[in-house]
Amino acid sequence: MQQAPGASPLREVAAVFLKLGTIAFGGPAAHIAMMRDEVVTRRRWLSDQQFLDLLGATNLIPGPNSTEMAIHLGYLRAGWRGLMVAGALFILPAFAIVLGFAWAYVRYGTTPEATWLLYGVKPVIIAIVVQALWGLRRAAVSGPLPAIVAMGVVAGYLLGVNEIALLFAGGLFALLARNAPRITARGVAVFAAPLAIAGSLPLAARAPDETPVSLLTLFLTCLKIGSVLYGSGYVLLAFLRNDFVVRLGWLTDQQLLDAVAVGQLTPGPVFTTATFVGYVVAGAPGAVLATIAIFLPSFVFVAAVNPLVARLRSSETFSALLDGVNAAALGLMAAVTWTLGRDAIVDWWTALLAAAAVFLLLRYRMQSVWLIVAGALAGVAHHYALS
């Protein structure tokens, strides 16, 4: 591994990931491509094979893939201090920007001008998630078995089954189907235990009265999400909606879409959507606690898994489990997109915006941030055309 003259590994880590956290627009795939350019091509901290091994390891643990790659790379380059610095500096710029957006949203978000901005943005967000679904379909649904898992999860979510139970069920089903001759009864019990616990959690039904806002509940809810969420950052939609819209009643579907829009407008990890949610429900303390809670598990998981990467890479059992979880995550994304789309696409104009955004994303691969800006301008233009 090469080191810049006069620069310590920790300073290199800090410089690289503060830069990436500030400029990394475009979602996890774009973030990971930028990281590869920085640490493999330009700085030669590791080989392509080592980079791919770390990327595979991030898919075996819950949490945001690009953030976990940053943590892995920081650990590889500068040990425990590098692990902490890389993750924190990759998250920090997005946290600060989202916090500013959240403050402005709470103060001005209910004005007519902001309403019309969001009127045009929300259908574009639905289009962006549709593009993510389309792009992930080949990797996540690579045969009949993952397709069955994905369709079963869509049906289960729409029927109100808990999303954590659906993720565990998808992984367990794929694991058993592919490895049935080699799995003992004890092995089935080990994998089924989390499913039984998750299945005992409440179904997606709102309580008669909304739960009072509590910082502890906010922290624990975000900690739970960060601990169990597999797949793309867009799967976060399913978890946030089930907990903050349906179960707790702290947000509306419109506020959730607004939070996702802000997450798309800013660089860095999509999980900083939790910063926005935390601020909306509990101010600055809520934003800080929600951000810490949702990212904390990633630091723990990477620290535990990094030394085991070589062994995990060759495990058929973990590979089958991961395939099932990924297919289940895709199913969750599809079901939530359908649910939120009904709130975002409310007339012919929003339907046209969504269709145009899908076309531009799939045909020309336009950057999502420019489409969000265009959607906001289209919403305002539509308002003034009607007035």
Side-chain angles (χ1 to χ4, degrees), residues 8-385:
S8 73
L10 188 62
R11 288 182 180 177
E12 281 191 296
V13 166
V16 167
F17 289 102
L18 181 60
K19 171 187 172 182
L20 289 173
T22 304
I23 66 170
F25 289 93
H31 301 168
I32 288 169
M34 291 179 188
M35 288 180 195
R36 181 188 173 276
D37 181 61
E38 286 283 347
V39 304
V40 177
T41 304
R42 297 180 59 190
R43 300 172 187 273
R44 299 183 183 178
W45 289 359
L46 69 170
S47 68
D48 262 328
Q49 184 59 63
Q50 290 173 305
F51 188 87
L52 287 173
D53 287 348
L54 294 179
L55 183 58
T58 66
N59 288 321
L60 289 171
I61 56 178
N65 286 356
S66 59
T67 304
E68 288 172 346
M69 274 299 290
I71 299 169
H72 270 299
L73 292 166
Y75 185 45
L76 183 72
R77 184 60 173 166
W80 287 97
R81 292 188 299 169
L83 176 149
M84 300 299 298
V85 167
L89 292 184
F90 185 66
I91 296 164
L92 185 60
F95 166 78
I97 297 169
V98 170
L99 188 62
F101 272 111
W103 174 85
Y105 177 84
V106 169
R107 185 163 183 177
Y108 303 111
T110 57
T111 65
E113 293 80 6
T115 299
W116 283 104
L117 281 170
L118 296 171
Y119 167 83
V121 166
K122 287 187 288 184
V124 174
I125 293 300
I126 296 300
I128 290 169
V129 181
V130 168
Q131 181 210 24
L133 285 167
W134 184 258
L136 292 169
R137 76 194 189 286
R138 289 182 180 175
V141 185
S142 55
L145 179 60
I148 291 170
V149 171
M151 289 187 291
V153 168
V154 169
Y157 183 86
L158 295 178
L159 290 172
V161 179
N162 180 272
E163 76 281 0
I164 301 174
L166 289 171
L167 282 175
F168 276 116
L172 181 62
F173 180 79
L175 184 146
L176 292 175
R178 289 188 184 172
N179 300 283
R182 296 185 288 110
I183 296 179
T184 65
R186 181 179 178 183
V188 171
V190 169
F191 284 105
L195 174 60
I197 295 170
S200 68
L201 297 174
L203 298 183
R206 186 191 295 276
D209 297 315
E210 294 179 356
T211 304
V213 173
S214 158
L215 288 176
L216 179 60
T217 301
L218 174 66
F219 181 86
L220 293 177
T221 300
C222 290
L223 187 68
K224 177 197 74 175
I225 292 172
S227 299
V228 300
L229 195 154
Y230 277 91
S232 163
Y234 295 109
V235 183
L236 184 64
L237 276 169
F239 285 77
L240 291 177
R241 185 177 186 276
N242 185 65
D243 279 316
F244 290 103
V245 178
V246 178
R247 182 172 64 86
L248 297 171
W250 292 355
L251 296 176
T252 65
D253 274 332
Q254 177 175 328
Q255 288 173 318
L256 179 58
L257 281 172
D258 298 343
V260 175
V262 169
Q264 286 291 316
L265 280 168
T266 54
V270 177
F271 273 47
T272 49
T273 300
T275 306
F276 187 96
V277 170
Y279 190 91
V280 170
V281 302
V288 172
L289 285 176
T291 305
I292 292 172
I294 205 162
F295 285 107
L296 180 60
S298 294
F299 288 85
V300 176
F301 290 142
V302 169
V305 167
N306 190 281
L308 307 174
V309 169
R311 293 175 60 185
L312 291 172
R313 184 173 183 265
S314 60
S315 170
E316 292 184 22
T317 300
F318 277 103
S319 176
L321 180 70
L322 177 63
D323 286 345
V325 168
N326 284 345
L330 193 75
L332 279 178
M333 288 173 63
V336 170
T337 302
W338 171 260
T339 301
L340 294 178
R342 292 180 297 179
D343 293 316
I345 302 171
V346 295
D347 53 28
W348 70 268
W349 181 247
T350 48
L352 182 62
L353 283 176
V358 168
F359 174 76
L360 291 171
L361 285 164
L362 296 179
R363 179 68 178 83
Y364 296 105
R365 298 183 180 180
M366 288 189 65
Q367 288 194 16
S368 57
V369 64
W370 299 120
L371 285 175
I372 291 171
V373 171
L377 295 175
V380 173
H382 181 64
H383 166 65
Y384 284 109

